[in-house]
Each structure stands twice: as structure tokens, then as C-alpha cells.
Amino acid sequence: MPRRLKSNFLVAFLIVSFAVVLQLKIGLISSLYPNFTLAALIASALFLDFSELGFLVFFSALILNWRPGLSPEIMVLISLPITVSVLRRFLPAQAWMNLVLALVLGLLVFYSAAGFQSLVKNFNIFLIDLTISTVVAVPTFLILKTLNASKI
């Protein structure tokens, strides 16, 4: 008998799907691609099972990277949420502090993978992206935290 989908996975799937579409639409309009998907995946990594998160990560990577081959940015998009999921048991702080730490470090790694010189030259773009990504990560975190708390 198949395992039933949990409500937090369905909500996370909808949020990540919305983040992917929003990231692509804003990128087409403004040529600035904020990391909505990475932010939603990092927030989801704190609450989902490894298999559920793996599905979301590969689903979003497939949509964002429709060309053959994996760019360094897509490799980071795949590896960061999975790393956060694995390390969440060892992170000593409260969940919201872990979210902030993971988001800041994740974006630093993401921009460093794209080229460390560009990160240093365009640090203001990094700060804008961090602010915009926080707008996606915090509501995602709060929604999934509420769903997990209601199951206790």
C-alpha cells in the first residue's frame, strides 16, 4: 500500500513550485534572478524528510536547469538543502537561527560558486538577494513550523 503524502510535504511542494515560477518570471522581466527557490528549499530542509526534500530539490533543479549538464550554481542548489537537512540534527541553535545561518551561508556559497570576484565586486547585489530571499524563507519556515507544531 503506498505511503500517504503528508500535508507539510504538499505545502512545501506548492511553495517551492511557486518560488521556482516566481524566480523565472522575475528573471525574465528584470534580468535579476533572486534565489527564491534556494530560500524555499533551505527553509523546507529544516522540516521535511530526506526523501521528500530530495524530490523537491531535483524537481526544482530540473525546471531551473533545462539544458544538459549541470552548472556550478545548480550543483549548489542541489547540495545546499540536502546538506542543511543532514546537518539539522547537529545544529545547536533554535530552528529560526539555523534558518538565518543556513540562508546567509547558502547564498554566500551560491555566489562564490558563480565567481568569488563577482561576489566581492557586487556585494550590494548579494545583500539585495539576501533580503529578497528572506522574504520567501521566513514565511515558508513559519508555515511549515505551524504545520509541524499542529501534529504534536
Side-chain angles (χ1 to χ4, degrees), residues 61-62 64-72 74-75 78:
L62 179 67
L64 291 175
N65 188 37
W66 49 271
R67 290 177 235 137
L70 293 175
S71 65
I74 293 297
M75 293 298 291
I78 291 171

Side-chain angles (χ1 to χ4, degrees), residues 8-24 33-49 52-61 64 76-78 80-82 84-85 88 95 98-100 102-104 106-107 110 129-145 148:
N8 60 347
F9 172 74
L10 292 174
V11 170
F13 179 77
L14 290 174
I15 292 171
V16 169
S17 298
F18 179 72
V20 168
V21 169
L22 191 63
Q23 180 173 334
L24 291 173
Y33 287 89
N35 289 301
F36 293 138
T37 306
L38 183 62
L41 288 171
I42 286 175
S44 298
L46 296 171
F47 297 101
L48 296 179
D49 294 340
E52 295 168 339
L53 180 68
F55 175 80
L56 287 181
V57 166
F58 290 113
F59 165 77
S60 58
L64 291 175
V76 170
L77 179 85
I78 291 171
L80 279 175
I82 292 173
V84 170
S85 177
R88 73 179 174 194
N98 293 336
L99 172 69
V100 171
L103 190 59
V104 170
L107 286 175
F110 185 83
D129 195 5
L130 179 63
T131 304
I132 292 171
S133 296
T134 303
V135 170
V136 172
V138 169
T140 302
F141 174 82
L142 293 174
I143 290 168
L144 293 175
K145 183 178 179 189
N148 280 345

Side-chain angles (χ1 to χ4, degrees), residues 103-125:
L103 190 59
V104 170
L105 291 176
L107 286 175
L108 279 172
V109 169
F110 185 83
Y111 276 93
S112 295
F116 189 73
Q117 280 90 11
S118 68
L119 171 65
V120 173
K121 276 197 253 181
N122 302 316
F123 196 71
N124 58 341
I125 293 176

